[in-house]
Amino acid sequence: MLPRSTIETLEPRRLLHGSPAITISDAALAEGDDGTTAYVFTVSLSKATSRRVSVSFATAADGSAIAGEDFEAKRGTLTFAGGQTSKTVTVLVNGDATVEGDETFALKLSRASNAFIADSRGVGTIVNDDVLPPPPPPPAPPPYEPPPDPWYDPAWYSPPGEGGAYW
Protein backbone atom coordinates (compact mmCIF):
# COMPACT_ATOMS: atom_id res chain seq x y z
CA MET A 1 0.00 0.00 0.00
CA LEU A 2 1.25 3.47 -0.85
CA PRO A 3 1.74 6.04 1.88
CA ARG A 4 -1.26 8.32 2.34
CA SER A 5 0.70 11.30 0.98
CA THR A 6 0.79 9.78 -2.54
CA ILE A 7 -2.95 9.12 -2.73
CA GLU A 8 -5.45 11.80 -3.62
CA THR A 9 -9.11 11.13 -2.85
CA LEU A 10 -11.55 12.25 -5.54
CA GLU A 11 -15.18 11.46 -4.82
CA PRO A 12 -15.26 7.71 -4.07
CA ARG A 13 -12.20 6.92 -6.22
CA ARG A 14 -8.51 7.07 -5.38
CA LEU A 15 -6.17 8.50 -7.95
CA LEU A 16 -2.50 7.65 -7.85
CA HIS A 17 -0.30 10.67 -8.51
CA GLY A 18 1.73 10.32 -11.68
CA SER A 19 -0.14 7.35 -13.18
CA PRO A 20 -2.56 7.88 -16.06
CA ALA A 21 -6.19 6.91 -15.58
CA ILE A 22 -7.86 4.54 -18.05
CA THR A 23 -11.48 5.16 -19.04
CA ILE A 24 -13.84 3.62 -21.59
CA SER A 25 -16.69 5.17 -23.57
CA ASP A 26 -20.20 3.81 -24.07
CA ALA A 27 -21.66 2.97 -27.48
CA ALA A 28 -25.27 3.07 -28.68
CA LEU A 29 -26.50 2.39 -32.22
CA ALA A 30 -29.50 0.94 -34.02
CA GLU A 31 -29.02 -2.79 -34.51
CA GLY A 32 -30.13 -3.03 -38.15
CA ASP A 33 -32.32 -5.73 -39.65
CA ASP A 34 -29.57 -8.11 -40.79
CA GLY A 35 -25.80 -8.40 -40.98
CA THR A 36 -23.64 -6.82 -38.29
CA THR A 37 -23.17 -3.31 -36.94
CA ALA A 38 -19.81 -2.21 -35.49
CA TYR A 39 -20.01 -0.71 -31.99
CA VAL A 40 -16.78 1.19 -31.32
CA PHE A 41 -15.66 1.74 -27.72
CA THR A 42 -12.86 4.23 -27.10
CA VAL A 43 -10.40 3.39 -24.33
CA SER A 44 -8.49 6.51 -23.24
CA LEU A 45 -5.61 7.47 -21.01
CA SER A 46 -6.00 10.65 -18.98
CA LYS A 47 -2.52 11.77 -20.02
CA ALA A 48 0.32 10.66 -22.23
CA THR A 49 3.13 8.73 -20.61
CA SER A 50 6.50 7.48 -21.78
CA ARG A 51 5.79 4.08 -20.26
CA ARG A 52 4.01 1.30 -22.11
CA VAL A 53 0.47 0.86 -20.74
CA SER A 54 -1.67 -2.21 -21.23
CA VAL A 55 -5.18 -3.21 -20.18
CA SER A 56 -7.25 -6.34 -20.80
CA PHE A 57 -10.82 -6.18 -22.07
CA ALA A 58 -13.69 -8.63 -22.49
CA THR A 59 -17.35 -8.41 -23.43
CA ALA A 60 -19.81 -9.40 -20.74
CA ALA A 61 -23.46 -10.33 -21.12
CA ASP A 62 -24.40 -8.65 -17.86
CA GLY A 63 -27.26 -6.76 -19.50
CA SER A 64 -30.19 -8.05 -21.51
CA ALA A 65 -28.20 -8.88 -24.67
CA ILE A 66 -26.99 -12.43 -25.22
CA ALA A 67 -23.43 -13.17 -26.41
CA GLY A 68 -23.42 -15.14 -29.66
CA GLU A 69 -27.00 -14.17 -30.43
CA ASP A 70 -27.15 -10.38 -30.07
CA PHE A 71 -23.41 -9.60 -30.19
CA GLU A 72 -20.14 -11.39 -30.83
CA ALA A 73 -18.10 -11.99 -27.70
CA LYS A 74 -14.63 -10.45 -27.75
CA ARG A 75 -11.61 -10.35 -25.48
CA GLY A 76 -8.04 -9.22 -25.72
CA THR A 77 -5.41 -6.77 -24.52
CA LEU A 78 -4.82 -3.18 -25.60
CA THR A 79 -1.26 -1.86 -25.49
CA PHE A 80 -0.58 1.88 -25.55
CA ALA A 81 2.86 2.82 -26.84
CA GLY A 82 4.60 5.77 -25.22
CA GLY A 83 2.70 8.98 -26.05
CA GLN A 84 -0.55 7.28 -27.17
CA THR A 85 -3.70 8.29 -25.34
CA SER A 86 -6.52 6.38 -27.04
CA LYS A 87 -7.32 3.02 -28.60
CA THR A 88 -10.56 1.52 -29.84
CA VAL A 89 -12.26 -1.84 -29.43
CA THR A 90 -14.90 -2.86 -31.99
CA VAL A 91 -17.68 -5.25 -31.01
CA LEU A 92 -19.96 -6.58 -33.75
CA VAL A 93 -23.70 -6.58 -33.03
CA ASN A 94 -26.02 -8.88 -34.98
CA GLY A 95 -29.03 -7.30 -36.65
CA ASP A 96 -32.48 -8.83 -36.52
CA ALA A 97 -36.05 -7.97 -37.44
CA THR A 98 -37.52 -8.93 -34.06
CA VAL A 99 -39.51 -6.24 -32.28
CA GLU A 100 -38.01 -6.04 -28.79
CA GLY A 101 -36.85 -3.50 -26.27
CA ASP A 102 -33.38 -1.96 -26.30
CA GLU A 103 -30.73 -4.39 -25.05
CA THR A 104 -27.40 -3.83 -23.33
CA PHE A 105 -24.05 -5.57 -22.91
CA ALA A 106 -20.77 -4.45 -21.36
CA LEU A 107 -17.14 -4.18 -22.38
CA LYS A 108 -15.13 -4.54 -19.17
CA LEU A 109 -11.55 -3.49 -18.53
CA SER A 110 -9.22 -5.31 -16.12
CA ARG A 111 -5.58 -5.97 -15.26
CA ALA A 112 -4.03 -2.61 -16.12
CA SER A 113 -0.28 -2.20 -16.25
CA ASN A 114 1.46 1.18 -15.61
CA ALA A 115 -1.91 2.92 -15.19
CA PHE A 116 -5.04 2.51 -13.13
CA ILE A 117 -8.60 1.91 -14.27
CA ALA A 118 -10.89 4.81 -13.41
CA ASP A 119 -13.87 3.55 -15.44
CA SER A 120 -13.89 -0.21 -15.96
CA ARG A 121 -17.19 -0.67 -17.79
CA GLY A 122 -18.37 0.57 -21.18
CA VAL A 123 -22.06 -0.04 -21.88
CA GLY A 124 -23.18 -1.05 -25.36
CA THR A 125 -26.82 -0.23 -25.99
CA ILE A 126 -28.42 -2.09 -28.89
CA VAL A 127 -31.20 0.28 -29.90
CA ASN A 128 -34.22 -1.55 -31.31
CA ASP A 129 -35.09 -0.23 -34.76
CA ASP A 130 -37.85 -2.71 -35.57
CA VAL A 131 -41.51 -1.75 -35.46
CA LEU A 132 -44.70 -3.73 -35.41
CA PRO A 133 -46.44 -3.91 -38.78
CA PRO A 134 -49.54 -1.74 -39.03
CA PRO A 135 -52.82 -3.47 -38.21
CA PRO A 136 -54.84 -4.74 -41.16
CA PRO A 137 -57.51 -2.39 -42.46
CA PRO A 138 -61.01 -2.93 -41.11
CA PRO A 139 -63.29 -5.07 -43.24
CA ALA A 140 -65.35 -3.28 -45.88
CA PRO A 141 -68.92 -2.56 -44.81
CA PRO A 142 -71.65 -4.62 -46.51
CA PRO A 143 -73.30 -3.00 -49.54
CA TYR A 144 -76.15 -0.69 -48.69
CA GLU A 145 -79.61 -2.19 -48.76
CA PRO A 146 -82.50 0.08 -47.90
CA PRO A 147 -84.74 -1.17 -45.16
CA PRO A 148 -87.90 -2.85 -46.35
CA ASP A 149 -90.81 -0.48 -46.90
CA PRO A 150 -93.95 -1.87 -45.29
CA TRP A 151 -96.10 0.06 -47.80
CA TYR A 152 -94.36 -1.28 -50.88
CA ASP A 153 -96.35 -3.79 -52.93
CA PRO A 154 -94.66 -5.04 -56.08
CA ALA A 155 -98.04 -5.74 -57.68
CA TRP A 156 -98.86 -2.05 -57.74
CA TYR A 157 -95.60 -1.15 -59.42
CA SER A 158 -95.19 -4.00 -61.88
CA PRO A 159 -95.20 -2.81 -65.46
CA PRO A 160 -98.09 -4.15 -67.52
CA GLY A 161 -97.51 -7.04 -69.83
CA GLU A 162 -97.09 -6.47 -73.48
CA GLY A 163 -100.01 -4.44 -74.82
CA GLY A 164 -101.69 -4.25 -71.41
CA ALA A 165 -102.91 -1.30 -69.38
CA TYR A 166 -101.84 0.03 -66.00
CA TRP A 167 -105.10 -0.53 -64.26
Side-chain angles (χ1 to χ4, degrees), residues 42-93:
T42 302
V43 179
S44 302
L45 294 178
S46 61
K47 64 181 179 179
T49 180
S50 60
R51 302 177 76 183
R52 192 176 100 168
V53 173
S54 65
V55 64
S56 296
F57 65 87
T59 54
D62 61 354
S64 53
I66 300 169
E69 184 178 315
D70 296 311
F71 67 94
E72 296 178 17
K74 189 166 190 176
R75 67 179 39 233
T77 301
L78 293 175
T79 302
F80 295 83
Q84 283 186 318
T85 57
S86 69
K87 291 269 193 184
T88 60
V89 176
T90 301
V91 177
L92 297 178
V93 171

Side-chain angles (χ1 to χ4, degrees), residues 14-145:
R14 292 182 176 195
L15 302 179
L16 302 174
H17 288 289
S19 296
I22 300 173
T23 58
I24 185 168
S25 67
D26 295 333
L29 293 170
E31 66 183 334
D33 290 336
D34 57 11
T36 57
T37 301
Y39 282 49
V40 179
F41 295 85
T42 302
V43 179
S44 302
L45 294 178
S46 61
K47 64 181 179 179
T49 180
S50 60
R51 302 177 76 183
R52 192 176 100 168
V53 173
S54 65
V55 64
S56 296
F57 65 87
T59 54
D62 61 354
S64 53
I66 300 169
E69 184 178 315
D70 296 311
F71 67 94
E72 296 178 17
K74 189 166 190 176
R75 67 179 39 233
T77 301
L78 293 175
T79 302
F80 295 83
Q84 283 186 318
T85 57
S86 69
K87 291 269 193 184
T88 60
V89 176
T90 301
V91 177
L92 297 178
V93 171
N94 301 319
D96 64 35
T98 304
V99 178
E100 57 198 349
D102 294 349
E103 298 172 297
T104 60
F105 65 93
L107 185 64
K108 293 186 174 182
L109 303 178
S110 61
R111 298 191 310 269
S113 171
N114 294 322
F116 68 95
I117 300 172
D119 179 9
S120 65
R121 186 173 182 266
V123 176
T125 302
I126 303 171
V127 179
N128 178 58
D129 60 353
D130 305 305
V131 295
L132 290 172
Y144 176 75
E145 291 186 26

